[in-house]
């Protein structure tokens, strides 16, 4: 169990992950609390940064983003400034929806969404290949999304 979180807090987190639109009354009933203590706990979880926000899960294909691409990147570490310049440039690319520093033979992995392969090709040539400090870039296209929702963190009660 996480430090500072009890089983009721974890139950609240599980319920809100499954449905962030629950009213305080509905949530309180599901976690066996009265409404006021439930509201105080949710407020505390928000203020402490345990709950970082509430979001709608959008079907990327329905909004025209049919291509998901994993981009593995190695950079030329010349200086801390160069590293920061690279990171700042990547963060500014709206098609990059996830950006992680990783261990292993590559330095970073990006998850990129694009309309289609042609749109990704344009992004690759116009933005990704022009990133500062880029040494090597490899792309992997998602052929089928088997489990893609990252909104639910597995919390054990």
């Amino acid at each position: 169990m996480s430090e500072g979180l009890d089983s009721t807090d974890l139950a609240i987190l599980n319920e809100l992950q499954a449905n962030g639109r629950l009213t305080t009354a509905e949530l309180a009933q599901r976690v066996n609390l009265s409404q006021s203590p439930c509201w105080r706990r949710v407020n505390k979880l928000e203020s402490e940064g345990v709950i970082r926000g509430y979001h709608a899960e959008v079907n990327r294909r329905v909004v025209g983003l049919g291509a998901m691409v994993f981009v593995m990147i190695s950079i030329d570490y010349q200086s801390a400034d160069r590293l920061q310049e690279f990171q700042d440039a990547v963060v500014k690319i709206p098609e990059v929806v996830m950006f992680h520093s990783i261990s292993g033979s590559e330095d970073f992995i990006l998850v990129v969404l694009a309309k289609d392969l042609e749109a990704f090709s344009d992004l690759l040539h116009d933005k990704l290949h022009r990133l500062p400090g880029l040494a090597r870039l490899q792309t992997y296209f998602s052929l089928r999304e088997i489990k893609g929702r990252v909104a639910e963190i597995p919390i054990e009660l």
Side-chain angles (χ1 to χ4, degrees):
M1 188 179 314
S2 299
E3 187 178 317
L5 300 177
D6 63 17
S7 61
T8 302
D9 291 328
L10 298 176
I12 288 170
L13 294 172
N14 274 322
E15 292 296 335
L16 287 175
Q17 283 189 118
N19 183 356
R21 298 181 73 174
L22 289 173
T23 65
T24 305
E26 292 168 329
L27 180 60
Q29 182 179 17
R30 290 181 184 206
V31 298
N32 298 316
L33 282 178
S34 60
Q35 208 167 333
S36 291
C38 183
W39 178 85
R40 282 193 297 275
R41 281 178 179 257
V42 170
N43 229 15
K44 183 176 182 230
L45 292 168
E46 291 170 348
S47 67
E48 291 177 350
V50 177
I51 297 174
R52 297 191 306 189
Y54 299 88
H55 311 279
E57 183 180 347
V58 177
N59 183 331
R60 67 180 170 84
R61 289 179 186 87
V62 172
V63 297
L65 297 170
M68 177 183 279
V69 186
F70 301 92
V71 180
M72 307 296 290
I73 294 179
S74 293
I75 65 169
D76 178 5
Y77 282 104
Q78 294 175 359
S79 68
D81 290 341
R82 187 73 164 166
L83 173 62
Q84 191 61 54
E85 184 183 357
F86 168 81
Q87 291 176 346
D88 292 345
V90 172
V91 168
K92 291 178 185 173
I93 301 171
E95 296 89 347
V96 175
V97 296
M98 295 183 84
F99 175 30
H100 292 266
S101 174
I102 58 172
S103 63
S105 60
E106 310 297 336
D107 299 311
F108 298 94
I109 184 169
L110 284 57
V111 177
V112 177
L113 298 179
K115 177 182 171 187
D116 52 28
L117 295 180
E118 185 176 347
F120 177 75
S121 178
D122 291 344
L123 174 73
L124 182 65
H125 296 293
D126 296 343
K127 294 182 183 176
L128 297 177
H129 278 155
R130 297 177 185 201
L131 288 169
L134 180 69
R136 188 174 59 251
L137 180 148
Q138 286 185 293
T139 59
Y140 299 90
F141 294 90
S142 174
L143 301 176
R144 179 181 306 137
E145 189 173 307
I146 298 163
K147 183 177 181 180
R149 185 170 184 232
V150 294
E152 266 188 55
I153 296 172
I155 299 172
E156 294 192 29
L157 298 177

